Amino acid sequence: MKTYLRLLSLKISSRLSYKLDFFTTLISSLLWSLASPLFIILLYQSGASYPDWNFNEILLFIGIYTALFGLGRAFFYNFFFNTGADVRTGYLELTLIKPVDELVLLLGKSFDWESLSEVLAGSLIAIYAFIQLSLSPNIFLFLVYIGLALLFYFSMILLISSLIMKYVQVTRLIEIVERFMDIASHPKNVYPRVVQTGFSIFIPLFIISYYPASALIGFELVYPFTIILTTLIFFMLSLYIWRKSIKNYTGAGG
Amino acid sequence: MFKPVLSIIKMGIKEGVAYRPQMLLTLISFPIFFLTQFFLWTSIFGDSPNTSIAGFDLTQMVGYYIVGLLILVFTYSHITTELHNGIREGHFIKFIIKPISYPFFSFWIIIGGRILAFVMEAIPLLFVVGLMLGFDFFLTPNLTLFLISFVFAFFINYLLSLIMGTLIFWFTNPNGITWIYRLLRYFFAGGILPLTFFPEIIQYIILLTPFPLMYFIPAFLFVGNNVILGIEITPLLLLIYGAIQLIIFSLIAYFLWRRGVKTFQGVGA
């Protein structure tokens, strides 16, 4: 943990050496996070809506999604690109011989401070919608789902990072994760039942936003505990594949 | 003139061949995108008492995003990143001593890359779209208008990418500004929602920018719409609108390029 925090502080120091870039990236991250709420506002203003979701409920949903997406970007997103870059340059070999877990080093190096503005924007939207709705939520379940959502995001990044170690030049693998995140950016009930079940039981994609939002709103949840178990299994599997990839890694650059 | 151009296009194709697995990944990500849009809008239209939302019916709405994505594939330009890396790492200097200009070279490299993308990405994607929406989908009533707007989309995208690339001549790290540009492009080009969802005054303002030509206008025309804000888009109107944008941004790109190259000092070469 100490190493991780030290890397985080080094990261902010190095980012602040390009102040203009840091602040413009911060502003752009903040504005990017407004894309989904803008979609909702324009959609509802046109008279259309998501089935069974009123405006404030969907705003709460999208606020949680935006905050979680921001957290995922801050903590894990660059992990994939840094792993790919380190494989290409041969720097990964240096990371692997250090007496610290490679996950800690790569995660610390990958932290993206600017994405915290997305977390802020998402949280403010969610808090606003929450106040408007005057709910009595299941906070404990909500927090469990939030933790698992981050774990699932990390699992997806770990999986594609394992692949980039083997296939090196496939940076567009991140697009697959982004497409999956697009699916999670809409409520589960817009999809056919088979998709709903598949992404709740087999690949726990709806843990990203639907489950935490539903725990707050009080919607009846299908498979509320199965999805917890599936997320944990998914994470264990990703970690196993990552460790196996590291073990089999023979170097590509350097 | 023709021979060097052909050689550069071949180079662009060869460069693209090295990234074959990258292109093939589109064949996974595109159907996911397509199905997400399809399910989303089917559900929204199913819940709506109207068959039309902001001037689009269900097929047009799904088609809008699909055509938009295909336009992005066809008009993709990596010149901003290439130029930033080239100057940061110093290998841009070789273009200073070559009898060929970088904008000219990169333009034909992009053409080469897009030819390959057409074969490897677009044809399979068009086939997938045809299977899912029916091949009648491609029989657009606005083919001439679409083709004109598509050509403009390609050139405007290239020029704006070049303009964003020139920022590296003055800023050590212009990534943040580049992200703000991408954001504006996404918001104002109709990437979030078709521009007809925006209030009228905002639509007027956005239409004064170059962004709608890069996504919204070609996709809007392709799905069979041709009236925006009560104005009918005719070939002549589109030609004038596109030509004005093209002249303005060509001049800006030319001016910035000339000034930038004069400033360039070749650090890191």
Side-chain angles (χ1 to χ4, degrees):
Chain A
M1 195 63 189
K2 209 173 154 190
T3 314
Y4 182 69
L5 291 174
R6 177 82 188 119
L7 284 165
L8 255 53
S9 102
L10 281 172
K11 182 83 193 199
I12 187 104
S13 308
S14 84
R15 285 300 288 133
L16 281 172
S17 58
Y18 298 103
K19 284 191 183 62
L20 177 69
D21 185 53
F22 179 78
F23 287 110
T24 46
T25 310
L26 199 71
I27 292 166
S28 74
S29 286
L30 185 71
L31 295 173
W32 271 109
S33 63
L34 300 179
S36 295
L38 185 64
F39 174 88
I40 301 293
I41 291 166
L42 291 173
L43 184 75
Y44 276 68
Q45 259 179 5
S46 75
S49 63
Y50 284 95
D52 306 326
W53 289 76
N54 69 34
F55 180 71
N56 284 320
E57 284 169 351
I58 198 72
L59 211 55
L60 179 70
F61 173 90
I62 217 66
I64 292 171
Y65 171 81
T66 306
L68 274 170
F69 189 68
L71 278 172
R73 281 185 79 94
F75 283 97
F76 315 123
Y77 190 79
N78 286 336
F79 181 91
F80 168 72
F81 291 106
N82 283 337
T83 308
D86 284 0
V87 169
R88 274 192 300 280
T89 55
Y91 193 78
L92 191 64
E93 282 94 311
L94 291 179
T95 305
L96 293 177
I97 55 168
K98 284 180 181 156
V100 184
D101 191 297
E102 82 282 348
L103 272 179
V104 175
L105 288 176
L106 283 167
L107 279 171
K109 207 167 80 167
S110 307
F111 193 83
D112 181 29
W113 284 94
E114 290 93 323
S115 292
L116 290 180
S117 61
E118 293 179 41
V119 182
L120 180 72
S123 305
L124 289 176
I125 292 166
I127 291 167
Y128 168 80
F130 183 78
I131 293 167
Q132 296 295 313
L133 286 164
S134 52
L135 304 162
S136 45
N138 187 339
I139 293 287
F140 174 72
L141 197 57
F142 169 73
L143 291 175
V144 169
Y145 284 147
I146 290 284
L148 289 169
L150 287 173
L151 203 61
F152 178 69
Y153 193 113
F154 182 45
S155 308
M156 286 197 292
I157 296 289
L158 263 185
L159 272 181
I160 59 167
S161 303
S162 307
L163 284 173
I164 208 168
M165 257 196 273
K166 194 168 167 62
Y167 300 104
V168 191
Q169 290 286 6
V170 283
T171 46
R172 278 173 73 179
L173 273 171
I174 198 75
E175 282 178 25
I176 309 287
V177 172
E178 283 169 356
R179 291 289 89 88
F180 273 101
M181 292 302 286
D182 282 349
I183 297 175
S185 70
H186 305 292
K188 179 169 123 161
N189 62 326
V190 305
Y191 301 103
R193 200 157 291 277
V194 62
V195 178
Q196 294 185 29
T197 310
F199 286 140
S200 299
I201 295 185
F202 302 109
I203 302 173
L205 184 63
F206 290 127
I207 194 82
I208 293 282
S209 48
Y210 177 79
Y211 277 81
S214 297
L216 276 190
I217 297 169
F219 283 163
E220 195 184 331
L221 288 166
V222 186
Y223 315 117
F225 300 109
T226 316
I227 201 162
I228 295 176
L229 192 68
T230 320
T231 310
L232 291 173
I233 293 171
F234 195 83
F235 172 67
M236 302 291 271
L237 192 69
S238 308
L239 194 63
Y240 172 76
I241 293 171
W242 168 261
R243 296 277 187 227
K244 193 100 180 148
S245 304
I246 286 287
K247 207 174 161 188
N248 294 337
Y249 176 68
T250 50
Chain B
M1 179 72 178
F2 186 67
K3 223 176 157 183
V5 165
L6 209 64
S7 307
I8 301 170
I9 291 176
K10 273 187 194 164
M11 268 175 78
I13 294 174
K14 280 186 179 171
E15 212 175 75
V17 168
Y19 292 95
R20 271 189 320 264
Q22 296 267 60
M23 288 185 170
L24 290 174
L25 282 173
T26 312
L27 301 182
I28 302 171
S29 71
F30 185 86
I32 301 176
F33 172 81
F34 174 81
L35 287 171
T36 308
Q37 293 301 326
F38 181 77
F39 292 138
L40 169 69
W41 287 107
T42 304
S43 163
I44 290 172
F45 272 89
D47 194 52
S48 169
N50 306 315
T51 52
S52 164
I53 301 173
F56 286 75
D57 64 26
L58 174 61
T59 313
Q60 285 177 320
M61 189 64 86
V62 177
Y64 172 82
Y65 285 101
I66 304 306
V67 174
L69 190 70
L70 286 168
I71 291 166
L72 292 182
V73 170
F74 280 124
T75 60
Y76 174 75
S77 159
H78 58 297
I79 187 169
T80 307
T81 324
E82 287 285 312
L83 201 51
H84 288 184
N85 291 341
I87 289 179
R88 226 177 261 138
E89 291 158 17
H91 50 81
F92 170 77
I93 203 160
K94 64 184 179 218
F95 285 99
I96 301 285
I97 51 163
K98 275 186 182 172
I100 197 165
S101 82
Y102 181 82
F104 177 83
F105 176 82
S106 63
F107 178 81
W108 292 109
I109 281 279
I110 290 166
I111 295 279
R114 292 308 87 202
I115 290 172
L116 186 73
F118 178 74
V119 177
M120 292 196 62
E121 290 181 80
I123 292 179
L125 297 183
L126 291 171
F127 187 69
V128 171
V129 173
L131 281 180
M132 295 178 119
L133 287 182
F135 286 92
D136 290 355
F137 174 74
F138 299 114
L139 303 173
T140 169
N142 298 326
L143 187 65
T144 314
L145 283 168
F146 168 74
L147 290 175
I148 296 170
S149 62
F150 175 75
V151 172
F152 280 127
F154 183 83
F155 280 102
I156 297 280
N157 190 42
Y158 169 76
L159 286 170
L160 289 182
S161 303
L162 180 62
I163 289 170
M164 294 316 293
T166 59
L167 291 177
I168 191 75
F169 288 120
W170 295 280
F171 299 99
T172 325
N173 201 350
N175 288 344
I177 304 172
T178 310
W179 273 108
I180 290 179
Y181 157 72
R182 285 179 185 150
L183 174 94
L184 291 175
R185 189 178 64 184
Y186 179 59
F187 276 45
F188 293 164
I192 299 178
L193 274 168
L195 298 186
T196 47
F197 276 83
F198 287 78
E200 280 198 3
I201 182 74
I202 306 283
Q203 288 185 46
Y204 278 112
I205 295 167
I206 294 175
L207 284 170
L208 293 174
T209 71
F211 303 113
L213 254 180
M214 297 160 78
Y215 185 111
F216 171 72
I217 292 177
F220 183 70
L221 291 168
F222 190 92
V223 297
N225 290 330
N226 64 347
V227 179
I228 181 162
L229 292 165
I231 305 162
E232 188 187 344
I233 305 172
T234 61
L236 183 67
L237 183 68
L238 188 60
L239 279 170
I240 294 170
Y241 178 71
I244 291 171
Q245 308 254 18
L246 212 56
I247 291 167
I248 292 172
F249 290 102
S250 299
L251 287 173
I252 295 174
Y254 178 76
F255 173 76
L256 286 175
W257 183 260
R258 289 282 299 256
R259 289 291 297 262
V261 171
K262 272 187 192 162
T263 323
F264 177 64
Q265 292 183 339
V267 178

